[in-house]
Amino acid sequence: MPETLVFGKPTALTEVPTHYCPGCTHGVIHRLVAEVLDELDLTRRTVGIAPVGCSVLAYNYFATDFHEASHGRAPAVATGIKRARPDLIVFSYQGDGDLASIGLSEVLHCANRGEKVTVIFVNNAIYGMTGGQMAPTTMPGQVATTCPLGRDVEQAGYPIRIAELISTLRTPAFVARASVHSPLHAVHAKEMIRRAFRCQKEGRCFSLVEVLSTCPTNWGIPPAESLTWLEQHMLPYYPLGVFKTPEGPDRAPLPLFGGA
Amino acid sequence: MAQHDVVIAGFGGQGVLLVGKMLAYAGMRENKEVSWFPSYGPEMRGGTCNCTVVISDRPVGSPVVQHPSAIIVLNLPSLDKFEPLLRSGGLLCVNTSLIHRQPRRDDVRVVAVPANDIAIELHNPRGANMVALGAYVGSTGAVSERVLEEVIQETFAGKPGLVEANLQAFRRGVAIGRGESTQEVTA
Amino acid sequence: MAKKLMKGAEAMGEAAIQAGCRLFFGYPITPQNEIPEYMSARLPQVGGTFVQAESEVAASNMIYGAAGAGERVLTSSSSPGISLMMEGLSYIAGSELPVVVINIMRAGPGLGGILPAQGDYFQATKGGGHGDYRCLVLAPWSVQEAADLVQDAFDLADYYRNPVLILGDGLIGQMMEPVEFKADRRPCKPLAPKTWASTGWKGDRPRAIINSLFLDPEALERHNQKLAAKYAAMERDEKRVAEVGTDGQYEVLVVAYGTVARVVYTALDDLRQAGVRAAMVRPVSLFPFPYEAVRRAAEKAKAVLVAELSTGQMIEDVRLAVEGRVPVHFIGRQGGMLLTPEDIAARVRELAAGEGSHA
Ligand SMILES: Cc1ncc(C[n+]2csc(CCOP(=O)(O)OP(=O)(O)O)c2C)c(N)n1
Ligand code: SF4
């Protein structure tokens, strides 16, 4: 019987095995981005920007040209690349320490200038690479190595909702939040990523997709339970949906799967 | 010997950093000069880790030792990595429960310790590191067994059940290190 | 207090607390995360405050604020983060504020790696940020010395109203050694009340303006000259150096600082047993650099060897000290690779035998 290939690796990914911990969802998000690049036929003209964080080696996994940026500055680097070569598709891939803490200024201004680039923002509620310190997105009460008694909102404030924050800007943009803790959610996440890259492809606007992700290692929770932990603790605080589209001023989160 | 330097290596989670600290702590209690240095860096994500402990009568020079006088290896990657570095005439404590190849060096002393098997036999499966530590101490006398037993008592003071279990594991290792016991186990 | 086995990073944090520091602002970076982690657990126990800043730029300005308000304050980071702190440090030096900053150096440039290196010597000792300023720079070689120097650093910072940098590397941060904190420790400098601090103006003193802006060029020049006089006083009074074997006869003098000096120490031991005569000078203060001590020790040697985990930075100060009287050679590793006692002993043997003078 002749064999038909029904499932394979996207051409936008290399053959290199990733260094991510078992059960980490960074790898899933890489794959979704790569599939979208392939499907929109963008792979050959894409330049990615790797952050400082666990995905610092993303340049080894995406089969596109890449820049490494200093901690938090990826949106500024993206601006430089896109202004120099507007024909390129430029995306940054950043963690929550990188984007929401040290790099908050860069991403806000990049969005506010309406740079036609795409930001993939991976929110795992912790600093992964440096060993589990508190992130701006760490949940209230969540234990991290720099808040050993749990995040105290009196001292550290509440977790920052990046998608909501960016969507308050007047400049047109596409801003959404998705998650990858179940296959169904991953399908939705891919659709959000596709819409983001389409906005860039059509030269319309800045786009950002926040993707909720797990860090079993630094949460100290086994991989399968991590997915449940995300669903139970992060989803209620970080609603999924589209927060802003280039067409409309509507800032109300749109429901996840059709009506609700 | 004026100076003992030992590399203790295994998988993350086998407790190699902990027994290294306990050894250094025992040395300090004996008023010796000591240092403890852990591997840190990208290799830790790969799952292996190690530490170097120096116990000396004089101030410790480099805390990183190129050619240690002893190595305690709890898994195969550690044996592969550190066996070639062991000083000639040095001591190789090898965990034969998890390492099934023979050491290649013929200019070193080998103490074979079925550390995991003994730990399981003692119903203390996480105590393999203590067995290996015992074998090293029994074989080298780098610190006194009595002081190390005190350190075990202090380390696990909060969990009384573990004190006795780890003392037993340590003593079984010491017996092997001294050559009083062969490595047969009943488990 | 009895001796405790502590990691260098934790011992430095505890030393700050023992020195009366109750404020820490910092941002995570390997290989020094144990310092903020220790402080986040320990400071609340003593009524202090730990803040994880959003960036090192912010942390450097938080310590500027806290020091201006008259409190002892600490931050720590590693090389890429220290680069970001240069903004705050320049303002702190310009405004004459006391802060202590720990740099646990890692290999660079750029993101580099996370293993030990000494590539930030120039940045630490020759300014680092913009403008004409200096930080006092102290380089420990053991956990005990790290703890002692951190405590002294707070006194020196207060006395000179100047930033003090502790320059360590990943080895010092990660290794455990016995440390003792003396209960009866006295400040290493006489300490005056901080009448210049912004503590709320009640009319009983001039208003406290914490500032480095001087639009009048003559006033700014006067300010620069005042700073220069302060740095000259540091050069006169604060040089610290340790020597091994310089009172005897030797052919080769090795100059090294921080943990590299530990490796040299082991090498000297091996060399002595082999009958090769060598000695070591270890600068403990890198600014001010102990030029005279290095010169004196070098004059007795046939050759000087500088050992660093860089491609050669402190060697420039050693050359200035030696003034061409003795050839100065270099041995170094980079990128997180370490020098071994064997490397150093081999090079010393060559130099003692009169070989290797090509380098
Ligand atoms: C200027 C600077 N400061 C700090 C660091 C250390 N550092 C490396 S990764 C990281 C944060 C990682 O967390 P996150 O962005 O949430 O990504 P994750 O690892 O969780 O994917 C930090 C603080 C650095 N490399 N450079
Ligand atoms: S530390 Fe966390 S974020 Fe980083 S690879 Fe491991 S699981 Fe993923």
Side-chain angles (χ1 to χ4, degrees):
Chain A
M1 207 172 69
E3 289 178 22
T4 344
L5 186 68
V6 292
F7 189 76
K9 215 169 188 181
T11 67
L13 286 183
T14 63
E15 292 299 320
V16 180
T18 71
H19 69 290
Y20 298 113
C21 305
C24 175
T25 44
H26 262 305
V28 176
I29 302 168
H30 280 25
R31 183 173 175 112
L32 298 181
V33 171
E35 286 179 358
V36 166
L37 290 178
D38 277 4
E39 288 164 19
L40 295 180
D41 196 21
L42 299 174
T43 305
R44 297 294 181 83
R45 59 178 174 116
T46 291
V47 176
I49 300 141
V52 176
C54 280
S55 43
V56 65
L57 297 177
Y59 50 75
N60 287 333
Y61 312 138
F62 285 100
T64 69
D65 284 348
F66 246 80
H67 284 228
E68 168 54 29
S70 70
H71 196 23
R73 315 298 183 221
V77 177
T79 300
I81 300 170
K82 189 75 180 187
R83 296 282 176 134
R85 288 288 307 270
D87 55 315
L88 294 174
I89 296 295
V90 180
F91 81 96
S92 73
Y93 184 106
Q94 303 177 254
D96 43 22
D98 195 76
L99 182 141
S101 188
I102 193 168
L104 187 55
S105 166
E106 278 72 12
V107 74
L108 270 180
H109 288 283
C110 183
N112 194 52
R113 285 190 305 267
E115 301 293 346
K116 293 168 187 60
V117 301
T118 299
V119 174
I120 305 296
F121 168 46
V122 179
N123 177 357
N124 60 10
I126 203 135
Y127 283 41
M129 167 163 251
T130 41
Q133 294 81 13
M134 185 184 69
T137 47
T138 295
M139 299 309 296
Q142 185 185 341
V143 170
T145 59
T146 48
C147 51
L149 303 177
R151 181 185 185 130
D152 173 5
V153 295
E154 291 295 320
Q155 295 283 330
Y158 285 85
I160 301 185
R161 295 182 174 119
I162 288 294
E164 286 86 334
L165 184 68
I166 304 256
S167 64
T168 62
L169 298 172
R170 173 74 183 82
T171 312
F174 175 79
V175 180
R177 184 183 289 116
S179 178
V180 289
H181 67 283
S182 78
L184 186 60
H185 285 86
V187 169
H188 168 257
K190 181 173 171 185
E191 181 54 27
M192 295 299 107
I193 294 169
R194 190 197 321 274
R195 286 179 66 179
F197 276 102
R198 210 184 290 130
C199 284
Q200 182 176 179
K201 187 181 181 186
E202 291 164 5
R204 298 181 72 187
C205 63
F206 173 87
S207 51
L208 178 144
V209 182
E210 174 172 344
V211 188
L212 304 183
S213 186
T214 62
C215 179
T217 300
N218 288 301
W219 291 357
I221 302 177
E225 289 167 45
S226 287
L227 301 171
T228 322
W229 192 91
L230 187 161
E231 180 165 23
Q232 286 176 352
H233 294 89
M234 292 176 70
L235 272 197
Y237 189 85
Y238 295 117
L240 308 184
V242 177
F243 290 83
K244 188 177 169 78
T245 61
E247 298 82 23
D250 188 0
R251 284 204 281 108
L254 302 183
L256 174 48
F257 302 113
Chain B
M1 203 199 270
Q3 178 160 316
H4 291 274
D5 31 58
V6 55
V7 170
I8 311 172
F11 291 123
Q14 279 183 311
V16 304
L17 299 183
L18 176 68
V19 292
K21 280 183 201 172
M22 292 169 67
L23 184 61
Y25 194 58
M28 184 180 93
R29 293 268 294 251
E30 293 183 351
N31 285 319
K32 301 227 174 81
E33 305 281 347
V34 298
S35 72
W36 171 93
F37 184 72
S39 59
Y40 77 95
E43 78 262 28
M44 286 195 63
R45 210 146 275 145
T48 63
C49 74
N50 69 77
C51 64
T52 305
V53 177
V54 182
I55 301 174
S56 180
D57 295 334
R58 288 173 305 131
V60 178
S62 174
V64 184
V65 181
Q66 188 83 346
H67 300 292
S69 62
I71 60 177
I72 305 172
V73 287
L74 298 186
N75 66 359
L76 182 60
S78 301
L79 177 65
D80 291 344
K81 181 168 176 190
F82 291 105
E83 184 181 8
L85 300 176
L86 181 59
R87 200 178 302 160
S88 186
L91 173 73
L92 169 54
C93 283
V94 50
N95 177 11
T96 51
S97 301
L98 299 184
I99 303 174
H100 302 300
R101 82 159 168 81
Q102 290 297 313
R104 304 206 167 96
R105 297 275 297 265
D106 55 11
D107 60 338
V108 299
R109 201 152 53 91
V110 177
V111 172
V113 206
N116 291 75
D117 294 305
I118 292 176
I120 290 166
E121 184 195 318
L122 296 173
H123 305 293
N124 177 16
R126 296 176 58 95
N129 55 346
M130 297 294 154
V131 181
L133 176 68
Y136 168 77
V137 171
S139 173
T140 58
V143 294
S144 95
E145 290 153 25
R146 186 185 47 78
V147 172
L148 215 137
E149 291 193 4
E150 285 168 18
V151 171
I152 292 177
Q153 276 159 356
E154 279 167 34
T155 306
F156 299 101
K159 304 161 194 152
L162 286 181
V163 171
E164 202 40 47
N166 283 316
L167 281 174
Q168 275 188 25
F170 174 72
R171 286 177 191 144
R172 283 287 293 273
V174 168
I176 293 176
R178 286 204 197 126
E180 290 167 2
S181 149
T182 53
Q183 52 273 45
E184 296 110 55
V185 277
T186 49
Chain C
M1 249 180 262
K3 276 194 181 178
K4 268 181 83 175
L5 198 59
M6 284 183 103
K7 263 198 174 188
E10 293 170 354
M12 288 188 252
E14 183 59 32
I17 285 169
Q18 298 290 329
C21 169
R22 292 292 177 270
L23 293 161
F24 183 96
F25 303 91
Y27 187 76
I29 185 166
T30 313
Q32 62 80 55
N33 289 318
E34 291 82 355
I35 302 178
E37 288 168 1
Y38 185 84
M39 295 309 255
S40 72
R42 188 77 173 87
L43 275 170
Q45 295 171 359
V46 292
T49 297
F50 166 88
V51 176
Q52 184 174 311
E54 69 271 30
S55 70
E56 292 87 351
V57 179
S60 75
N61 287 287
M62 291 173 183
I63 62 170
Y64 171 73
E71 297 296 322
R72 286 193 159 184
V73 59
L74 176 70
T75 190
S76 66
S77 188
S78 175
S79 310
I82 294 288
S83 290
L84 288 182
M85 289 188 181
M86 286 303 146
E87 171 182 297
L89 269 188
S90 174
Y91 281 69
I92 287 166
S95 311
E96 297 195 78
L97 295 180
V99 298
V100 177
V101 177
I102 299 173
N103 179 3
I104 301 296
M105 287 183 280
R106 60 188 236 183
L111 201 48
I114 60 175
L115 292 174
Q118 295 183 320
D120 303 349
Y121 180 92
F122 286 153
Q123 184 196 53
T125 61
K126 314 289 176 194
H130 64 281
D132 209 355
Y133 77 93
R134 294 286 189 280
C135 295
L136 271 158
V137 184
L138 304 173
W141 82 329
S142 68
V143 173
Q144 179 69 58
E145 190 176 48
D148 293 343
L149 291 181
V150 166
Q151 296 186 67
D152 287 356
F154 280 97
D155 299 335
L156 290 165
D158 280 348
Y159 180 80
Y160 288 104
R161 291 181 56 187
N162 204 70
V164 180
L165 225 73
I166 303 289
L167 199 62
D169 58 49
L171 276 179
I172 257 295
Q174 296 295 320
M175 71 198 255
M176 281 183 118
E177 286 187 319
V179 240
E180 191 175 1
F181 293 100
K182 298 214 166 56
D184 56 350
R185 182 188 174 274
R186 305 235 146 270
C188 72
K189 286 287 183 188
L191 298 176
K194 298 180 177 179
T195 51
W196 45 263
S198 63
T199 52
W201 186 55
K202 298 168 199 70
D204 53 346
R205 54 158 172 76
R207 277 193 311 126
I209 310 288
I210 307 296
N211 174 38
S212 58
L213 173 74
F214 295 83
L215 285 175
D216 170 7
E218 285 180 15
L220 184 51
E221 185 178 51
R222 276 198 301 280
H223 178 59
N224 269 275
Q225 288 171 353
K226 179 181 162 214
L227 294 180
K230 189 163 87 174
Y231 305 143
M234 293 176 192
E235 294 196 74
R236 190 185 62 224
D237 298 333
E238 304 305 339
K239 283 194 282 277
R240 296 185 184 209
V241 66
E243 307 188 18
V244 178
T246 47
D247 45 356
Q249 297 294 313
Y250 49 91
E251 258 137 346
V252 180
L253 176 75
V254 188
V255 186
Y257 71 96
T259 56
V260 178
R262 301 274 294 246
V263 179
V264 175
Y265 186 85
T266 301
L268 292 188
D269 243 23
D270 301 347
L271 288 164
R272 195 175 314 119
Q273 280 163 24
V276 180
R277 294 182 305 173
M280 169 167 74
V281 170
R282 173 172 73 91
V284 175
S285 60
L286 302 180
F287 180 86
F289 188 81
Y291 290 106
E292 295 76 16
V294 171
R295 180 184 317 121
R296 234 182 297 115
E299 276 169 349
K300 289 172 66 181
K302 200 156 85 176
V304 173
L305 178 64
V306 180
E308 293 180 69
L309 296 181
S310 73
T311 51
Q313 299 197 6
M314 182 179 70
I315 190 172
E316 298 198 357
D317 281 320
V318 175
R319 287 211 181 97
L320 281 176
V322 172
E323 291 178 329
R325 285 167 226 218
V326 185
V328 177
H329 303 269
F330 182 73
I331 182 168
R333 295 295 300 266
Q334 304 85 32
M337 300 301 293
L338 298 178
L339 282 164
T340 65
E342 290 81 3
D343 296 338
I344 289 168
R347 199 62 202 284
V348 168
R349 274 203 191 89
E350 265 174 42
L351 293 172
E355 298 158 17
S357 35
H358 47 273

